[in-house]
């Protein structure tokens, strides 16, 4: 399937349903997984990229920092510190071998389903009040340790400031969690075309309701709260 002039496969299409943007230049490079707390891996070399990993490995150390944090043996629930929607949470996997979506295999469907159910259960009260959420992953995350975004679809959060923020939630760069599960069940793994995904972050700014284009984030943010177009 072709998207925006690039040859790539995308979610849920065709028989080989879930090659996510087939790699154009090799697979993810990363160092060993499951390293010790705070250790570096080549996909996530910076200290700031280790924060979610550190929380996942030792959530008990962060209870005071994150008032609404919850955790169990398989995942941690926290509020996103730089929310891109009015409500924005993260479900962080605790398995140290899961750094990012490209690490997922068929055998991880169980943990993914638990993360999905967890996110749905924790937002039930808001959804009962009419708040819509999307649950899923950034195909190329910025932070180490697999984390599922649970984000209200308004995309009016105070942390949403840049084009790449917007496009990371409105284009196929965002991998819906239930489609990830379906793809793993059928194909066994995800293959991520980094170049294709990175190009999506550079696409023109577009309202996800009416599809009008905008030059700047402030213009788009002012528009999005007024746009009445039904999706
Ligand atoms: P991603 O692009 O999928 O790696 O998203 C990482 C998310 O983590 C972003 O939405 C950030 O706002 C969020 N984030 C970054 N640092 C922290 C932190 N210290 N605590 C909670 N959330 C964070």
């Amino acid at each position: 399937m072709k998207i925006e002039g690039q040859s790539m496969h995308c979610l849920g299409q065709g028989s080989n349903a879930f090659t996510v943007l087939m790699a154009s230049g090799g697979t993810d490079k990363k160092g060993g997984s499951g390293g010790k707390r705070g250790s570096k891996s080549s996909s996530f070399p910076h200290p700031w990229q280790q924060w979610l990993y550190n929380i996942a490995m030792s959530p008990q150390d962060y209870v005071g920092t994150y008032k609404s944090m919850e955790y169990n043996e398989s995942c941690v629930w926290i509020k996103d510190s730089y929310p891109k929607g009015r409500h924005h949470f993260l479900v962080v996997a605790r398995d140290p071998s899961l750094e990012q979506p490209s690490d997922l295999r068929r055998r991880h469907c169980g943990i993914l389903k638990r993360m999905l159910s967890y996110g749905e259960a924790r937002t039930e009260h808001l959804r009962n009040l009419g708040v819509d959420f999307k649950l899923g992953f950034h195909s190329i995350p910025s932070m180490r340790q697999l984390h599922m975004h649970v984000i209200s679809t308004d995309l009016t959060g105070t942390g949403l400031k840049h084009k790449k923020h917007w496009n990371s939630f409105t284009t196929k760069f965002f991998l819906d969690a239930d489609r990830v599960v379906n793809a793993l069940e059928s194909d066994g793994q995800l293959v991520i075309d980094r170049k294709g995904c990175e190009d999506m972050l550079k696409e023109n700014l577009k309202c996800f309701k009416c599809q009008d284009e905008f030059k700047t984030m402030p213009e788009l943010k002012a528009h999005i709260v007024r746009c009445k177009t039904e999706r």
Side-chain angles (χ1 to χ4, degrees):
M1 179 177 184
K2 284 205 169 220
I3 298 175
E4 303 281 325
Q6 292 169 62
S7 182
M8 57 181 72
H9 300 276
C10 67
L11 310 194
Q13 306 282 334
S15 55
N16 188 13
F18 198 21
T19 306
V20 185
L21 313 176
M22 179 60 203
S24 59
T27 52
D28 286 344
K29 293 190 205 82
K30 71 182 173 98
S33 52
K36 66 182 164 49
R37 179 176 167 167
S39 69
K40 292 178 180 175
S41 79
S42 59
S43 291
F44 304 99
H46 304 292
W48 62 267
Q49 295 177 300
Q50 312 299 321
W51 190 252
L52 299 181
Y53 171 78
N54 291 340
I55 293 172
M57 294 306 110
S58 304
Q60 67 281 359
D61 294 348
Y62 294 87
V63 172
T65 313
Y66 292 95
K67 290 196 179 62
S68 59
M69 183 172 103
E70 287 178 9
Y71 60 94
N72 59 29
E73 66 288 348
S74 51
C75 57
V76 178
W77 169 267
I78 54 169
K79 261 189 176 170
D80 194 295
S81 295
Y82 310 95
K84 314 300 187 293
R86 194 171 303 143
H87 307 279
H88 190 178
F89 308 95
L90 300 172
V91 184
V92 189
R94 297 193 61 194
D95 177 342
S97 73
L98 294 177
E99 292 197 344
Q100 54 187 318
S102 57
D103 293 328
L104 288 164
R105 299 292 180 269
R106 186 177 282 118
R107 65 179 179 280
H108 298 120
C109 285
I111 170 67
L112 280 182
K113 286 178 186 170
R114 287 198 292 282
M115 289 169 73
L116 201 44
S117 308
Y118 199 77
E120 283 171 350
R122 284 298 275 99
T123 50
E124 192 178 5
H125 62 297
L126 290 167
R127 286 185 288 114
N128 286 343
L129 294 172
V131 182
D132 263 346
F133 281 90
K134 56 201 269 176
L135 285 73
F137 304 88
H138 282 154
S139 44
I140 309 175
S142 57
M143 307 278 288
R144 178 182 179 187
Q145 195 58 18
L146 185 75
H147 50 279
M148 186 177 72
H149 292 269
V150 179
I151 182 167
S152 56
T153 54
D154 53 86
L155 296 187
T156 58
T158 52
L160 201 152
K161 297 193 168 139
H162 306 294
K163 180 195 261 198
K164 67 177 181 185
H165 291 154
W166 180 264
N167 285 342
S168 73
F169 288 101
T170 58
T171 67
K172 288 187 191 309
F173 186 92
F174 188 84
L175 309 175
D176 287 312
D178 50 358
R179 302 181 80 183
V180 170
V181 172
N182 290 342
L184 290 173
E185 282 175 346
S186 64
D187 298 345
Q189 71 180 90
L190 317 177
V191 182
I192 297 187
D193 167 14
R194 297 187 68 91
K195 169 80 169 63
C197 290
E198 281 159 7
D199 286 348
M200 288 181 181
L201 297 181
K202 297 176 195 151
E203 286 177 13
N204 290 344
L205 285 174
K206 209 187 267 182
C207 171
F208 59 82
K209 297 181 190 170
C210 67
Q211 306 301 317
D212 279 1
E213 289 197 5
F214 294 84
K215 289 255 179 300
T216 66
M217 271 314 299
E219 283 175 70
L220 176 53
K221 285 190 91 168
H223 164 82
I224 198 73
V225 291
R226 296 191 313 262
C227 183
K228 298 279 185 263
T229 307
E230 294 288 334
R231 270 174 289 163

